[in-house]
Amino acid sequence: MITLPASTALAHIPTPLEQLNYRDDRSWPRIWIKRDDLTGSGLSGNKVRKLEFVVAHAKRSGADTLITCGGLQSNHCRATALVGARLGLKVHLILREEGGREIEGNLFIDNLAGATIETFSAQEYQANLNNLLAQRAKDYQSQGRTAHVIPTGASDEIGIWGYVKCAQELKSDFQQNAIDPDLIVCATGSGGTQAGLSLGGYAHGLSARVVGYAVCDDADYFNRKALTDITRCVDAYELAIDPQLVPITTVDDYVGPGYAVGYPELYDRIKDVASRTGLLLDPVYTGKAFHGLMCDIAAGKYSGAKDIVFVHTGGTFGLFAQKTAFGFSL
Ligand SMILES: *Cc1c(COP(=O)(O)O)cnc(C)c1O
């Protein structure tokens, strides 16, 4: 057992665990969806679970300003902007330019929420991100404010508690449904959801293996990133756990051309799932991960599995930013 650190209530949790009737095929495992797309309305998806712990930490250290970063359509930045608006904290976003400059999807909500927004070319962002974050924190300090810098995706030793807690929630979902799933799958983009679920699954004795489906980078990168987050968490909170014993598994076969860049099978999958089940997936995260999971089940990778849980981490606003890729017209 592990004791959770202090958190600020922000997410509508516990979220439902629902069976998805997608493949009418008896040879298939049952697919269950952990509806973390329902953690809120605007403030939806996986980042709000992480921010519950990050914000509690930031407030305790006297912060009145949150600085964070991500792509132009970052769900994490949108969630942080809304959390700040809700709690009366100033939010400063450092965004990486990608695709068009249209004020759309998550970026539209960042604006509605009144966040201060700065954008940088992908090159400049990549080369200078840490300096930029540190410099903005210093700027606020010289104005008499106290800023807390949240790393990409709130994936650090504090943020991953959100998914340690979710693993605990899943344990009781499984008891209520009298299931003992073989697999828990999530999209992995900055690694914190995967790290938290892996640590939480291990700490709570779940028999399910946690598998992260990468949406960028590669399996090696996420295996190392998750281990780093877990090790830092174990050290910072003095947990009686050996990080090396926590199983970490990443699949990187469905990234496609790169982060936030789709491919035809992905858009077909999103449309197929929406039209046959009513479930909305997004092209950046959940669509790639779910598509990968379906392909891997079909290929026999998880043969023998009876129940598989897919953690729906949200991202619905990102769907709007890529609407033209679907080619609909009147
Ligand atoms: C950020 C995000 C992820 C990935 O979670 P990480 O903890 O960053 O790996 C998955 N799905 C959605 C919708 C996200 O916004």
Side-chain angles (χ1 to χ4, degrees), residues 46-47 50 75 153 155 187-193 282 285-286 313-315:
N46 61 343
K47 301 309 180 309
K50 300 177 182 189
N75 295 301
S155 290
T188 197
S190 62
T193 303
D282 78 289
Y285 295 99
T286 56
T313 41

Side-chain angles (χ1 to χ4, degrees), residues 44-47 50 73-76 78 106 152-155 160 163 186-196 213 215 222 229 259 282 284-287 289 311-316:
S44 59
N46 61 343
K47 301 309 180 309
K50 300 177 182 189
Q73 283 298 330
S74 166
N75 295 301
H76 161 66
R78 177 256 309 157
N106 288 298
T152 307
S155 290
I160 70 171
Y163 275 86
C186 67
T188 197
S190 62
T193 303
Q194 180 186 1
Y213 274 69
V215 303
F222 283 112
D229 288 348
Y259 175 75
D282 78 289
V284 182
Y285 295 99
T286 56
V311 181
H312 192 320
T313 41
T316 311

Side-chain angles (χ1 to χ4, degrees), residues 78-198:
R78 177 256 309 157
T80 304
L82 290 170
V83 165
R86 174 156 158 189
L87 300 180
L89 301 167
K90 182 174 176 57
V91 173
H92 188 115
L93 303 176
I94 293 182
L95 302 180
R96 182 186 64 238
E97 288 168 11
E98 53 195 19
R101 297 186 56 83
E102 216 182 325
I103 303 295
E104 147 88 278
N106 288 298
L107 182 58
F108 171 60
I109 298 176
D110 298 341
N111 279 274
L112 279 181
T116 298
I117 297 168
E118 273 187 291
T119 65
F120 295 90
S121 71
Q123 268 170 320
E124 210 182 337
Y125 181 95
Q126 207 180 341
N128 286 330
L129 181 61
N130 288 336
N131 288 338
L132 284 168
L133 292 168
Q135 188 58 50
R136 294 305 174 268
K138 259 174 85 179
D139 294 346
Y140 282 111
Q141 201 180 4
S142 68
Q143 295 166 25
R145 304 188 73 101
T146 306
H148 177 80
V149 175
I150 307 173
T152 307
S155 290
D156 62 6
E157 67 274 16
I158 313 167
I160 70 171
W161 280 107
Y163 275 86
V164 173
K165 182 172 171 179
C166 182
Q168 188 178 328
E169 210 176 289
L170 283 168
K171 185 176 185 172
S172 84
D173 290 335
F174 299 168
Q175 282 163 354
Q176 271 172 34
N177 287 281
I179 54 173
D180 187 15
D182 306 270
L183 217 61
I184 297 170
V185 172
C186 67
T188 197
S190 62
T193 303
Q194 180 186 1
L197 287 171
S198 301

